Amino acid sequence: MTDRRQERLRSQRRALLLRAVEGAEAGGLAALVPEDLARVEGLPLRSLGPDPEDLFFPDETDLREAFAGILEEAGLLEAAQAWARPLQEEGDLWRRRLGLCIREPRLALRRAVLDEAWREQLAAHFLRWGAAGPAGERHARVEADLALAALRSAERRWLEGGGRPILPVLAHEALAILWPALYTHARKAR
């Protein structure tokens, strides 16, 4: 897919997300009809999914893939910063979406399902780094849960603060608190 076409698709998905957020804020998630919104934005429904909650996470795969690439190349802190920047840039829309995820049980459930892919990605990272306890047991899954909880906590604080402090700072602070626990094996190697 060409860059121009990808940018057009991203723009359409953002417009669709904005309409979905506005519609859910006005009438609730149950009032949204994905087919109608997709038609208005000129997107084929097959690219979205039939459920209203499908409208709220069109960029999930892109975010997770970008995070994975940076995680492998530069590490967790840099990946978290790269994850936080686009959310910060589209701050109002993201905070509105996060607020809906808290208020709407179906969105919260979908987000929990999507978070499992984030956990698996993080666990794989920690496993590759040799995350092990004193007896050689693996803690990669626990470390993944902690790292994801730190990022989700940063999001909540960002939402509650109305965008202040900025999300990259909150993500950095949250991970800094956990850093000694996340990479204990790296410290032992010295």
Side-chain angles (χ1 to χ4, degrees), residues 102-115:
I102 292 168
R103 291 189 302 276
E104 294 282 351
R106 287 172 56 189
L107 288 178
L109 181 61
R110 176 63 61 93
R111 188 132 198 256
V113 168
L114 293 170
D115 276 355

Side-chain angles (χ1 to χ4, degrees), residues 81-149:
Q81 293 299 297
W83 159 82
R85 277 191 291 277
L87 276 66
Q88 182 67 42
E89 289 169 5
E90 302 246 356
D92 181 54
L93 181 58
W94 267 95
R95 286 189 308 278
R96 290 168 69 189
R97 179 176 16 180
L98 291 171
L100 283 168
C101 286
I102 292 168
R103 291 189 302 276
E104 294 282 351
R106 287 172 56 189
L107 288 178
L109 181 61
R110 176 63 61 93
R111 188 132 198 256
V113 168
L114 293 170
D115 276 355
E116 191 55 34
W118 285 93
R119 276 188 196 87
E120 292 302 320
Q121 183 175 349
L122 286 163
H125 165 74
F126 288 118
L127 194 57
R128 278 189 301 279
W129 271 89
E137 70 278 13
R138 294 293 178 192
H139 292 287
R141 183 67 181 187
V142 172
E143 290 174 324
D145 288 343
L146 289 171
L148 185 60

